[in-house]
Coordinates of all heavy atoms in Angstrom, one line a residue:
G1 N 0.8 -1.2 0.0 CA 0.0 0.0 0.0 C 0.9 1.3 0.0 O 2.0 1.2 0.3
T2 N 0.2 2.3 -0.3 CA 1.0 3.6 -0.4 C 0.9 4.4 0.9 O 1.6 5.4 1.0 CB 0.3 4.5 -1.5 OG1 -1.1 4.7 -1.2 CG2 0.5 3.9 -2.9
G3 N 0.1 3.9 1.8 CA -0.1 4.7 3.0 C -1.1 5.9 2.7 O -1.7 5.9 1.6
S4 N -1.2 6.7 3.7 CA -2.1 7.9 3.4 C -1.6 9.1 4.2 O -0.8 8.9 5.2 CB -3.5 7.6 3.8 OG -3.7 7.3 5.2
I5 N -2.0 10.2 3.9 CA -1.6 11.4 4.5 C -2.4 11.6 5.9 O -3.6 11.4 5.9 CB -1.9 12.7 3.6 CG1 -1.3 12.5 2.3 CG2 -1.5 14.0 4.3 CD1 0.2 12.5 2.2
V6 N -1.6 11.8 6.9 CA -2.2 12.0 8.2 C -1.9 13.4 8.7 O -0.7 13.8 8.7 CB -1.6 10.9 9.2 CG1 -2.2 11.1 10.6 CG2 -1.9 9.5 8.7
C7 N -3.0 14.1 9.1 CA -2.8 15.5 9.5 C -3.4 15.6 10.9 O -4.4 15.0 11.2 CB -3.5 16.5 8.6 SG -2.8 16.4 6.9
P8 N -2.9 16.6 11.7 CA -3.5 16.8 13.0 C -5.0 17.3 12.8 O -5.2 18.1 11.9 CB -2.7 17.9 13.6 CG -1.4 18.0 12.8 CD -1.7 17.4 11.5
E9 N -5.9 16.9 13.7 CA -7.2 17.4 13.6 C -7.2 18.9 14.1 O -6.6 19.2 15.1 CB -8.1 16.6 14.5 CG -9.6 17.0 14.5 CD -10.5 16.2 15.3 OE1 -10.0 15.2 16.0 OE2 -11.7 16.5 15.4
V10 N -7.9 19.7 13.3 CA -8.1 21.1 13.6 C -9.4 21.4 14.4 O -10.4 21.1 13.8 CB -8.0 22.0 12.4 CG1 -8.2 23.5 12.7 CG2 -6.7 21.8 11.7
V11 N -9.3 21.8 15.6 CA -10.4 22.1 16.5 C -10.3 23.5 16.9 O -9.3 23.9 17.5 CB -10.5 21.2 17.7 CG1 -11.7 21.5 18.6 CG2 -10.5 19.7 17.3
V12 N -11.3 24.4 16.5 CA -11.2 25.8 16.8 C -12.0 26.2 17.9 O -11.9 27.3 18.4 CB -11.5 26.7 15.5 CG1 -10.4 26.5 14.5 CG2 -12.9 26.3 15.0
G13 N -12.9 25.3 18.5 CA -13.7 25.7 19.6 C -14.8 26.7 19.3 O -15.3 26.7 18.2
A14 N -15.0 27.6 20.2 CA -16.1 28.6 20.0 C -15.7 29.6 18.9 O -14.6 30.1 18.9 CB -16.4 29.4 21.3
V15 N -16.5 29.8 18.0 CA -16.3 30.7 16.8 C -17.4 31.8 16.9 O -18.6 31.4 17.0 CB -16.3 30.0 15.5 CG1 -16.2 30.9 14.3 CG2 -15.2 28.9 15.5
P16 N -17.0 33.1 16.7 CA -18.1 34.1 16.7 C -19.0 33.8 15.6 O -18.6 33.4 14.5 CB -17.3 35.4 16.4 CG -15.9 35.1 16.8 CD -15.7 33.6 16.6
A17 N -20.3 34.1 15.8 CA -21.3 33.7 14.8 C -21.0 34.4 13.5 O -21.3 33.8 12.4 CB -22.7 34.2 15.3
A18 N -20.5 35.6 13.5 CA -20.3 36.3 12.2 C -19.1 35.7 11.4 O -19.0 35.9 10.2 CB -19.9 37.8 12.5
A19 N -18.3 34.9 12.1 CA -17.2 34.2 11.4 C -17.5 32.7 11.1 O -16.7 32.1 10.4 CB -15.9 34.3 12.3
Q20 N -18.6 32.2 11.6 CA -18.8 30.8 11.5 C -18.8 30.2 10.1 O -18.2 29.2 9.8 CB -20.1 30.4 12.2 CG -20.4 28.9 12.4 CD -19.4 28.3 13.4 OE1 -19.4 28.7 14.5 NE2 -18.6 27.3 12.9
A21 N -19.5 30.9 9.2 CA -19.6 30.4 7.8 C -18.2 30.3 7.2 O -17.8 29.3 6.5 CB -20.5 31.2 7.0
E22 N -17.4 31.4 7.4 CA -16.1 31.4 6.8 C -15.2 30.3 7.4 O -14.4 29.7 6.7 CB -15.5 32.8 7.0 CG -14.1 33.0 6.3 CD -13.6 34.4 6.4 OE1 -14.3 35.3 6.9 OE2 -12.5 34.6 5.9
V23 N -15.2 30.2 8.7 CA -14.4 29.2 9.4 C -14.8 27.8 8.9 O -14.0 26.9 8.6 CB -14.5 29.3 10.9 CG1 -13.9 28.1 11.6 CG2 -13.9 30.6 11.4
D24 N -16.1 27.6 8.8 CA -16.6 26.2 8.3 C -16.1 26.0 6.9 O -15.7 24.8 6.6 CB -18.1 26.2 8.3 CG -18.7 26.1 9.7 OD1 -18.0 25.8 10.7 OD2 -19.9 26.3 9.8
R25 N -16.1 27.0 6.0 CA -15.6 26.8 4.7 C -14.1 26.4 4.7 O -13.6 25.6 4.0 CB -15.7 28.1 3.8 CG -17.0 28.2 3.1 CD -17.0 29.3 2.0 NE -16.6 30.6 2.6 CZ -17.3 31.5 3.2 NH1 -18.6 31.2 3.4 NH2 -16.8 32.6 3.6
E26 N -13.3 27.1 5.5 CA -11.9 26.9 5.6 C -11.6 25.5 6.2 O -10.7 24.8 5.8 CB -11.2 28.0 6.4 CG -11.3 29.3 5.8 CD -10.6 29.5 4.5 OE1 -9.8 28.7 4.1 OE2 -11.0 30.5 3.8
L27 N -12.4 25.1 7.2 CA -12.3 23.7 7.8 C -12.6 22.7 6.7 O -11.9 21.6 6.6 CB -13.2 23.5 9.0 CG -12.7 24.3 10.2 CD1 -13.8 24.2 11.3 CD2 -11.4 23.9 10.8
A28 N -13.6 22.9 5.9 CA -13.9 22.0 4.8 C -12.7 21.9 3.8 O -12.4 20.9 3.3 CB -15.2 22.4 4.1
L29 N -12.1 23.1 3.5 CA -11.0 23.2 2.6 C -9.8 22.4 3.1 O -9.1 21.7 2.3 CB -10.6 24.6 2.4 CG -9.5 24.9 1.4 CD1 -9.8 24.3 0.0 CD2 -9.2 26.4 1.3
L30 N -9.6 22.4 4.4 CA -8.5 21.5 5.0 C -8.7 20.1 4.6 O -7.8 19.4 4.3 CB -8.5 21.7 6.5 CG -7.9 23.0 7.0 CD1 -8.1 23.1 8.5 CD2 -6.5 23.2 6.7
Q31 N -10.0 19.6 4.7 CA -10.3 18.2 4.4 C -10.1 18.0 2.9 O -9.5 17.0 2.4 CB -11.7 17.8 4.8 CG -12.0 16.3 4.6 CD -11.0 15.4 5.3 OE1 -10.7 15.5 6.5 NE2 -10.3 14.5 4.5
T32 N -10.5 18.9 2.1 CA -10.3 18.8 0.6 C -8.8 18.7 0.3 O -8.4 17.9 -0.6 CB -10.9 20.1 -0.1 OG1 -12.3 20.1 0.2 CG2 -10.7 20.0 -1.6
Q33 N -8.0 19.5 1.0 CA -6.6 19.5 0.7 C -6.0 18.1 1.1 O -5.1 17.6 0.3 CB -5.9 20.6 1.6 CG -6.2 22.0 1.1 CD -5.9 23.1 2.1 OE1 -5.5 22.8 3.3 NE2 -6.0 24.3 1.8
I34 N -6.4 17.5 2.1 CA -6.0 16.2 2.5 C -6.4 15.2 1.4 O -5.6 14.3 1.0 CB -6.5 15.8 3.9 CG1 -5.9 16.7 5.0 CG2 -6.1 14.3 4.2 CD1 -6.6 16.5 6.3
D35 N -7.6 15.3 1.0 CA -8.2 14.4 0.0 C -7.3 14.5 -1.3 O -7.0 13.5 -1.9 CB -9.6 14.6 -0.3 CG -10.5 14.3 0.9 OD1 -10.1 13.6 1.8 OD2 -11.7 14.8 0.9
E36 N -7.0 15.7 -1.7 CA -6.2 15.9 -2.9 C -4.8 15.4 -2.8 O -4.3 14.8 -3.7 CB -6.2 17.4 -3.3 CG -7.5 18.0 -3.8 CD -7.6 19.5 -3.9 OE1 -6.6 20.2 -3.4 OE2 -8.5 20.0 -4.4
A37 N -4.2 15.6 -1.6 CA -2.9 15.0 -1.3 C -2.9 13.5 -1.4 O -2.0 12.9 -1.9 CB -2.4 15.6 0.0
N38 N -3.9 12.9 -0.8 CA -4.0 11.4 -0.9 C -4.2 10.9 -2.3 O -3.6 9.9 -2.7 CB -5.2 10.9 0.0 CG -4.8 10.8 1.5 OD1 -3.7 10.2 1.8 ND2 -5.6 11.3 2.4
A39 N -5.0 11.7 -3.1 CA -5.1 11.3 -4.5 C -3.8 11.4 -5.2 O -3.4 10.5 -6.0 CB -6.2 12.2 -5.2
R40 N -3.1 12.5 -4.9 CA -1.8 12.7 -5.6 C -0.8 11.6 -5.1 O 0.0 11.1 -6.0 CB -1.2 14.0 -5.2 CG 0.1 14.4 -5.8 CD 0.0 15.6 -6.6 NE 1.2 15.7 -7.5 CZ 2.3 16.4 -7.2 NH1 2.3 17.2 -6.1 NH2 3.3 16.4 -8.0
L41 N -0.9 11.2 -3.9 CA 0.0 10.1 -3.4 C -0.3 8.8 -4.2 O 0.7 8.1 -4.6 CB -0.4 9.9 -1.9 CG 0.6 9.0 -1.1 CD1 2.0 9.6 -1.0 CD2 0.0 8.8 0.3
V42 N -1.5 8.5 -4.4 CA -1.9 7.3 -5.2 C -1.4 7.4 -6.6 O -0.9 6.5 -7.2 CB -3.4 7.0 -5.1 CG1 -3.8 5.9 -6.1 CG2 -3.8 6.6 -3.7
D43 N -1.7 8.6 -7.2 CA -1.3 8.8 -8.6 C 0.1 8.8 -8.9 O 0.5 8.7 -10.1 CB -1.9 10.2 -9.1 CG -3.5 10.2 -9.1 OD1 -4.1 9.0 -9.1 OD2 -4.1 11.2 -9.2
T44 N 1.0 9.1 -7.9 CA 2.4 9.2 -8.2 C 3.2 8.1 -7.6 O 4.4 8.2 -7.4 CB 2.9 10.6 -7.6 OG1 2.6 10.7 -6.2 CG2 2.3 11.7 -8.4
V45 N 2.6 7.0 -7.2 CA 3.4 5.8 -6.7 C 4.5 5.5 -7.6 O 4.4 5.4 -8.8 CB 2.4 4.6 -6.5 CG1 3.2 3.4 -6.1 CG2 1.4 4.9 -5.4
G46 N 5.7 5.4 -7.0 CA 6.9 5.0 -7.7 C 7.6 6.1 -8.4 O 8.7 5.9 -9.0
E47 N 7.1 7.3 -8.3 CA 7.7 8.5 -9.0 C 8.7 9.1 -8.0 O 8.6 9.0 -6.8 CB 6.7 9.5 -9.4 CG 5.9 9.1 -10.6 CD 4.9 10.2 -11.0 OE1 5.2 11.4 -10.7 OE2 3.9 9.9 -11.6
G48 N 9.7 9.7 -8.6 CA 10.7 10.5 -7.8 C 11.6 9.7 -6.9 O 11.5 8.5 -6.9
G49 N 12.4 10.4 -6.2 CA 13.4 9.8 -5.3 C 12.8 9.7 -3.9 O 11.6 9.8 -3.7
P50 N 13.8 9.5 -3.0 CA 13.3 9.2 -1.6 C 12.6 10.4 -0.9 O 11.9 10.2 0.0 CB 14.7 8.9 -0.9 CG 15.7 9.4 -1.8 CD 15.2 9.4 -3.2
N51 N 12.9 11.6 -1.4 CA 12.2 12.8 -0.9 C 11.0 13.3 -1.6 O 10.5 14.3 -1.4 CB 13.3 13.9 -0.7 CG 14.4 13.6 0.2 OD1 14.2 12.9 1.2 ND2 15.6 13.9 -0.2
F52 N 10.6 12.5 -2.6 CA 9.5 12.9 -3.5 C 8.2 13.3 -2.7 O 7.6 14.3 -2.9 CB 9.2 11.9 -4.6 CG 8.0 12.2 -5.4 CD1 8.2 13.1 -6.5 CD2 6.8 11.7 -5.2 CE1 7.2 13.5 -7.3 CE2 5.7 12.1 -6.0 CZ 5.9 13.0 -7.1
V53 N 7.8 12.3 -1.8 CA 6.6 12.6 -1.1 C 6.7 13.8 -0.3 O 5.7 14.7 -0.2 CB 6.2 11.3 -0.2 CG1 5.0 11.7 0.7 CG2 5.8 10.2 -1.1
Q54 N 7.8 14.0 0.4 CA 8.0 15.2 1.2 C 7.9 16.5 0.4 O 7.3 17.5 0.7 CB 9.3 15.2 2.0 CG 9.5 16.4 2.9 CD 8.5 16.7 3.9 OE1 8.1 15.8 4.6 NE2 8.0 17.9 4.0
N55 N 8.7 16.5 -0.7 CA 8.9 17.7 -1.5 C 7.7 18.0 -2.4 O 7.3 19.1 -2.7 CB 10.1 17.6 -2.4 CG 11.4 17.5 -1.6 OD1 11.4 18.0 -0.4 ND2 12.4 16.9 -2.1
A56 N 7.0 16.9 -3.0 CA 6.0 17.1 -3.9 C 4.6 17.1 -3.4 O 3.6 17.6 -3.9 CB 6.1 16.1 -5.1
I57 N 4.4 16.5 -2.2 CA 3.1 16.3 -1.6 C 3.0 17.0 -0.2 O 2.2 17.9 0.0 CB 2.7 14.8 -1.6 CG1 2.7 14.3 -3.0 CG2 1.3 14.7 -0.9 CD1 2.4 12.8 -3.1
L58 N 3.8 16.5 0.7 CA 3.7 17.0 2.1 C 4.0 18.5 2.2 O 3.4 19.2 2.9 CB 4.5 16.1 3.0 CG 4.0 14.7 3.2 CD1 5.0 13.9 4.1 CD2 2.6 14.6 3.8
G59 N 5.1 18.9 1.6 CA 5.5 20.3 1.7 C 4.5 21.2 1.1 O 4.1 22.2 1.9
P60 N 4.0 21.0 -0.1 CA 3.0 21.9 -0.6 C 1.7 21.8 0.2 O 1.0 22.9 0.4 CB 2.7 21.4 -2.0 CG 4.0 20.7 -2.4 CD 4.6 20.2 -1.1
L61 N 1.3 20.7 0.7 CA 0.2 20.5 1.6 C 0.3 21.4 2.8 O -0.6 22.1 3.2 CB -0.1 19.1 2.0 CG -1.2 18.8 2.9 CD1 -2.6 19.3 2.4 CD2 -1.3 17.3 3.3
E62 N 1.5 21.3 3.4 CA 1.7 22.2 4.6 C 1.6 23.6 4.3 O 1.0 24.4 5.1 CB 3.1 21.9 5.2 CG 3.4 22.7 6.5 CD 4.7 22.4 7.1 OE1 5.4 21.4 6.7 OE2 5.0 23.1 8.1
D63 N 2.1 24.1 3.2 CA 2.0 25.5 2.8 C 0.5 25.9 2.6 O 0.1 27.0 3.1 CB 2.7 25.7 1.4 CG 4.2 25.6 1.6 OD1 4.7 25.6 2.7 OD2 4.9 25.5 0.5
K64 N -0.3 25.0 2.0 CA -1.7 25.3 1.9 C -2.4 25.4 3.2 O -3.3 26.2 3.5 CB -2.4 24.2 1.0 CG -2.0 24.3 -0.5 CD -2.7 23.1 -1.2 CE -2.1 23.0 -2.6 NZ -2.7 21.8 -3.3
R65 N -2.1 24.4 4.1 CA -2.7 24.4 5.4 C -2.3 25.6 6.3 O -3.1 26.1 7.0 CB -2.3 23.1 6.2 CG -3.0 21.9 5.6 CD -2.6 20.6 6.2 NE -2.8 20.5 7.7 CZ -4.0 20.1 8.2 NH1 -5.0 19.7 7.5 NH2 -4.1 20.0 9.5
V66 N -1.1 26.1 6.1 CA -0.6 27.3 6.9 C -1.5 28.4 6.4 O -2.0 29.2 7.3 CB 0.9 27.6 6.6 CG1 1.2 29.0 7.0 CG2 1.7 26.6 7.3
A67 N -1.7 28.6 5.1 CA -2.6 29.7 4.6 C -4.0 29.6 5.1 O -4.6 30.6 5.5 CB -2.5 29.7 3.1
T68 N -4.5 28.4 5.0 CA -5.9 28.1 5.4 C -6.1 28.4 6.9 O -7.1 29.0 7.3 CB -6.4 26.7 5.1 OG1 -6.2 26.5 3.7 CG2 -7.8 26.4 5.4
L69 N -5.2 27.9 7.7 CA -5.3 28.1 9.2 C -5.1 29.6 9.5 O -5.8 30.1 10.4 CB -4.2 27.3 9.9 CG -4.4 25.8 9.9 CD1 -3.2 25.0 10.2 CD2 -5.6 25.4 10.7
D70 N -4.3 30.3 8.7 CA -4.2 31.7 8.9 C -5.5 32.5 8.6 O -5.9 33.4 9.3 CB -3.0 32.3 8.1 CG -2.5 33.6 8.6 OD1 -2.3 33.7 9.8 OD2 -2.2 34.5 7.8
R71 N -6.1 32.0 7.6 CA -7.4 32.6 7.2 C -8.5 32.4 8.4 O -9.3 33.3 8.7 CB -8.0 32.1 5.9 CG -7.2 32.7 4.7 CD -7.9 32.4 3.4 NE -8.0 31.0 3.1 CZ -7.2 30.3 2.5 NH1 -6.0 30.8 2.0 NH2 -7.4 29.0 2.2
I72 N -8.4 31.2 9.0 CA -9.3 30.9 10.1 C -9.0 31.9 11.3 O -9.9 32.5 11.8 CB -9.2 29.4 10.6 CG1 -9.8 28.5 9.5 CG2 -9.8 29.2 11.9 CD1 -9.5 27.0 9.8
R73 N -7.7 32.0 11.6 CA -7.3 33.0 12.6 C -7.8 34.4 12.3 O -8.4 35.0 13.2 CB -5.8 32.9 12.8 CG -5.2 33.9 13.9 CD -3.7 34.0 13.8 NE -3.2 34.5 12.6 CZ -3.3 35.8 12.2 NH1 -3.8 36.7 12.9 NH2 -2.8 36.1 11.0
I74 N -7.5 34.9 11.1 CA -7.9 36.2 10.8 C -9.5 36.4 10.9 O -10.0 37.4 11.4 CB -7.4 36.5 9.4 CG1 -5.9 36.7 9.4 CG2 -8.1 37.8 8.8 CD1 -5.3 36.7 8.0
S75 N -10.2 35.4 10.4 CA -11.7 35.4 10.4 C -12.2 35.6 11.9 O -13.1 36.4 12.1 CB -12.2 34.2 9.8 OG -13.6 34.2 9.8
I76 N -11.6 34.9 12.8 CA -12.0 35.0 14.2 C -11.6 36.3 14.8 O -12.4 37.0 15.5 CB -11.4 33.8 15.0 CG1 -12.1 32.5 14.5 CG2 -11.6 34.0 16.5 CD1 -11.4 31.2 15.0
E77 N -10.3 36.7 14.5 CA -9.8 37.9 15.1 C -10.5 39.2 14.6 O -10.6 40.2 15.3 CB -8.3 38.0 14.9 CG -7.6 37.0 15.8 CD -6.1 37.0 15.6 OE1 -5.6 37.6 14.6 OE2 -5.4 36.3 16.3
R78 N -11.0 39.1 13.3 CA -11.7 40.2 12.7 C -13.0 40.5 13.5 O -13.5 41.6 13.5 CB -12.1 39.8 11.3 CG -12.5 41.0 10.4 CD -12.9 40.6 9.0 NE -11.8 40.0 8.3 CZ -11.8 38.8 7.6 NH1 -12.9 38.1 7.5 NH2 -10.8 38.4 7.0
Q79 N -13.5 39.5 14.2 CA -14.7 39.7 15.0 C -14.4 40.1 16.5 O -15.2 40.1 17.3 CB -15.5 38.4 15.1 CG -15.9 37.9 13.7 CD -16.7 38.9 12.9 OE1 -17.5 39.6 13.4 NE2 -16.3 39.0 11.6
G80 N -13.1 40.4 16.7 CA -12.7 40.9 18.0 C -12.4 39.8 19.0 O -12.3 40.1 20.2
E81 N -12.4 38.6 18.6 CA -12.2 37.5 19.4 C -10.7 37.0 19.3 O -10.0 37.4 18.4 CB -13.1 36.3 19.1 CG -14.6 36.6 19.2 CD -15.0 36.9 20.6 OE1 -14.5 36.2 21.5 OE2 -15.9 37.7 20.8
V82 N -10.3 36.2 20.3 CA -8.9 35.6 20.3 C -9.0 34.3 19.6 O -9.8 33.4 20.0 CB -8.4 35.5 21.7 CG1 -7.0 34.9 21.7 CG2 -8.3 36.9 22.3
A83 N -8.2 34.1 18.6 CA -8.2 32.8 17.9 C -7.5 31.8 18.7 O -6.6 32.1 19.6 CB -7.4 32.9 16.5
P84 N -7.8 30.5 18.6 CA -7.1 29.5 19.3 C -5.6 29.5 19.1 O -5.1 29.8 18.0 CB -7.7 28.1 18.8 CG -8.9 28.5 18.0 CD -8.7 29.9 17.6
A85 N -4.9 29.3 20.2 CA -3.4 29.3 20.1 C -2.9 28.0 19.4 O -3.6 27.0 19.5 CB -2.8 29.4 21.5
G86 N -1.8 28.1 18.7 CA -1.2 27.0 18.2 C -1.8 26.4 16.9 O -1.5 25.3 16.5
L87 N -2.6 27.2 16.2 CA -3.2 26.7 15.0 C -2.1 26.4 14.0 O -2.2 25.3 13.3 CB -4.1 27.8 14.3 CG -5.5 27.9 14.9 CD1 -6.3 29.0 14.2 CD2 -6.3 26.6 14.8
Q88 N -1.1 27.2 13.9 CA 0.0 26.9 12.9 C 0.7 25.6 13.1 O 1.2 25.0 12.2 CB 1.0 28.1 12.8 CG 0.4 29.4 12.3 CD -0.3 29.3 10.9 OE1 0.2 28.6 10.1 NE2 -1.4 29.9 10.8
A89 N 0.7 25.2 14.4 CA 1.3 23.9 14.7 C 0.6 22.7 14.1 O 1.1 21.6 14.0 CB 1.5 23.7 16.2
L90 N -0.6 22.9 13.6 CA -1.5 21.9 13.1 C -1.3 21.8 11.5 O -2.0 21.0 10.9 CB -2.9 22.1 13.4 CG -3.3 22.2 14.9 CD1 -4.7 22.6 15.1 CD2 -2.9 21.0 15.6
A91 N -0.4 22.5 11.0 CA -0.2 22.6 9.5 C 0.6 21.4 9.0 O 0.4 21.0 7.9 CB 0.5 23.9 9.1
T92 N 1.5 20.8 9.8 CA 2.3 19.8 9.3 C 1.7 18.4 9.3 O 1.1 18.0 10.4 CB 3.6 19.7 10.2 OG1 4.2 21.0 10.1 CG2 4.6 18.7 9.6
C93 N 1.7 17.7 8.2 CA 1.1 16.4 8.0 C 2.2 15.4 7.8 O 3.4 15.8 7.6 CB 0.1 16.4 6.9 SG -1.2 17.6 7.1
S94 N 1.9 14.1 7.9 CA 2.9 13.1 7.6 C 2.3 12.0 6.8 O 1.1 11.9 6.6 CB 3.5 12.6 9.0 OG 2.4 12.0 9.7
L95 N 3.2 11.0 6.4 CA 2.7 9.9 5.7 C 2.4 8.8 6.8 O 3.3 8.4 7.5 CB 3.8 9.4 4.7 CG 3.4 8.3 3.8 CD1 2.2 8.7 3.0 CD2 4.6 8.0 2.9
G96 N 1.2 8.3 6.8 CA 0.8 7.3 7.8 C 0.8 5.9 7.3 O 0.9 5.7 6.1

């Protein structure tokens, strides 16, 4: 088997009502990003060298997750609330 991409679960807790729809969209996008990375993992089996998965799949996925988590933080803070600490730490995924 090829394994699959494993990412930390993102839990944001209480979200201001005015930010809820945007946060929900971004949380759904996080799952879409994982699904796309898993599809790419399957589509590229046997390609590249020993660092291929890290460089071509996990690295770009982390970059996308950093941006998405940042949008979640901004969405919450725009409502005058404090975003959950440590969101950026949830950006890094691994091959499970």
